[in-house]
Coordinates of all heavy atoms in Angstrom, one line a residue:
R474 N 11.4 -7.8 -22.6 CA 12.4 -8.0 -21.4 C 11.9 -7.3 -20.2 O 12.1 -7.8 -19.1 CB 13.7 -7.5 -21.9 CG 14.4 -8.5 -22.9 CD 15.8 -8.0 -23.2 NE 16.6 -9.1 -23.9 CZ 16.6 -9.3 -25.2 NH1 15.9 -8.4 -25.9 NH2 17.2 -10.3 -25.7
P475 N 11.4 -6.1 -20.2 CA 11.0 -5.5 -18.9 C 9.9 -6.3 -18.2 O 10.0 -6.4 -17.0 CB 10.4 -4.1 -19.4 CG 11.1 -3.8 -20.6 CD 11.3 -5.1 -21.3
G476 N 9.0 -6.9 -18.9 CA 8.0 -7.8 -18.3 C 8.7 -9.0 -17.6 O 8.4 -9.3 -16.5
Y477 N 9.6 -9.6 -18.4 CA 10.3 -10.8 -17.8 C 11.2 -10.4 -16.6 O 11.2 -11.1 -15.6 CB 11.2 -11.4 -18.9 CG 10.4 -12.2 -20.0 CD1 10.7 -12.0 -21.3 CD2 9.5 -13.1 -19.6 CE1 10.0 -12.7 -22.3 CE2 8.8 -13.9 -20.5 CZ 9.1 -13.7 -21.9 OH 8.4 -14.4 -22.9
N478 N 11.8 -9.2 -16.7 CA 12.7 -8.9 -15.6 C 11.8 -8.6 -14.3 O 12.3 -8.8 -13.2 CB 13.5 -7.6 -15.9 CG 14.6 -7.9 -16.9 OD1 15.1 -9.1 -16.9 ND2 15.1 -7.0 -17.7
Q479 N 10.6 -8.0 -14.5 CA 9.8 -7.8 -13.3 C 9.3 -9.2 -12.7 O 9.2 -9.3 -11.5 CB 8.5 -7.0 -13.7 CG 7.7 -6.5 -12.6 CD 8.4 -5.5 -11.7 OE1 9.3 -4.8 -12.1 NE2 8.1 -5.5 -10.4
I480 N 9.1 -10.1 -13.5 CA 8.7 -11.5 -13.0 C 9.9 -12.0 -12.3 O 9.8 -12.6 -11.2 CB 8.3 -12.4 -14.2 CG1 7.0 -11.9 -14.8 CG2 8.1 -13.8 -13.6 CD1 6.6 -12.7 -16.0
L481 N 11.1 -11.9 -12.8 CA 12.3 -12.4 -12.2 C 12.5 -11.7 -10.8 O 12.9 -12.4 -9.9 CB 13.5 -12.2 -13.1 CG 13.6 -13.2 -14.2 CD1 14.5 -12.6 -15.3 CD2 14.2 -14.5 -13.7
L482 N 12.3 -10.4 -10.8 CA 12.4 -9.7 -9.5 C 11.4 -10.3 -8.4 O 11.8 -10.5 -7.3 CB 12.2 -8.2 -9.7 CG 12.2 -7.4 -8.4 CD1 13.4 -7.5 -7.6 CD2 11.8 -5.9 -8.7
N483 N 10.2 -10.4 -8.8 CA 9.1 -10.9 -7.9 C 9.4 -12.4 -7.6 O 8.9 -12.9 -6.5 CB 7.8 -10.7 -8.5 CG 7.4 -9.3 -8.6 OD1 7.7 -8.5 -7.6 ND2 6.7 -8.9 -9.6
S484 N 10.1 -13.1 -8.4 CA 10.3 -14.5 -8.1 C 11.4 -14.8 -7.0 O 11.3 -15.7 -6.3 CB 10.7 -15.3 -9.4 OG 9.7 -15.2 -10.4
R485 N 12.4 -13.8 -7.0 CA 13.4 -13.9 -6.0 C 13.6 -12.4 -5.6 O 14.6 -11.7 -6.0 CB 14.7 -14.5 -6.5 CG 14.7 -16.0 -6.6 CD 16.0 -16.5 -7.1 NE 16.3 -16.1 -8.5 CZ 16.2 -16.8 -9.6 NH1 15.7 -18.1 -9.5 NH2 16.4 -16.3 -10.8
P486 N 12.8 -11.8 -4.7 CA 12.8 -10.4 -4.4 C 14.1 -9.9 -3.8 O 14.5 -8.7 -4.0 CB 11.7 -10.3 -3.3 CG 10.8 -11.4 -3.6 CD 11.7 -12.5 -4.0
N487 N 15.0 -10.8 -3.2 CA 16.2 -10.4 -2.7 C 17.4 -11.0 -3.4 O 18.5 -11.1 -2.9 CB 16.3 -10.7 -1.2 CG 15.2 -10.1 -0.4 OD1 14.6 -10.7 0.5 ND2 14.9 -8.8 -0.6
G488 N 17.1 -11.6 -4.6 CA 18.1 -12.1 -5.4 C 18.5 -13.5 -5.1 O 17.9 -14.2 -4.2
V489 N 19.5 -14.1 -5.7 CA 19.9 -15.4 -5.5 C 20.9 -15.4 -4.3 O 21.4 -14.4 -3.9 CB 20.7 -16.0 -6.7 CG1 19.8 -16.1 -7.9 CG2 21.9 -15.2 -7.1
N490 N 21.1 -16.6 -3.7 CA 21.9 -16.8 -2.6 C 23.0 -17.8 -3.0 O 22.7 -18.9 -3.3 CB 21.2 -17.2 -1.4 CG 22.0 -17.3 -0.1 OD1 23.3 -17.1 -0.1 ND2 21.4 -17.6 1.0
K491 N 24.3 -17.3 -3.0 CA 25.4 -18.2 -3.4 C 25.7 -19.3 -2.3 O 26.4 -20.2 -2.7 CB 26.6 -17.3 -3.6 CG 26.5 -16.3 -4.8 CD 27.8 -15.5 -4.9 CE 27.6 -14.5 -6.1 NZ 28.8 -13.7 -6.3
N492 N 25.1 -19.1 -1.2 CA 25.5 -20.1 -0.1 C 24.3 -21.0 0.4 O 24.5 -21.7 1.4 CB 26.0 -19.3 1.1 CG 27.3 -18.5 0.7 OD1 28.2 -19.0 0.1 ND2 27.3 -17.2 1.1
G493 N 23.2 -20.8 -0.2 CA 22.0 -21.6 0.2 C 20.8 -21.1 -0.4 O 20.8 -20.4 -1.5
P494 N 19.6 -21.4 0.2 CA 18.3 -20.9 -0.4 C 18.2 -19.4 -0.3 O 18.7 -18.8 0.7 CB 17.3 -21.6 0.5 CG 18.0 -21.9 1.8 CD 19.4 -22.2 1.4

Side-chain angles (χ1 to χ4, degrees):
R474 286 188 168 87
Y477 286 131
N478 285 334
Q479 189 64 28
I480 294 172
L481 283 158
L482 173 61
N483 289 324
S484 297
R485 287 181 294 257
N487 304 134
V489 298
N490 185 352
K491 297 179 181 179
N492 301 310

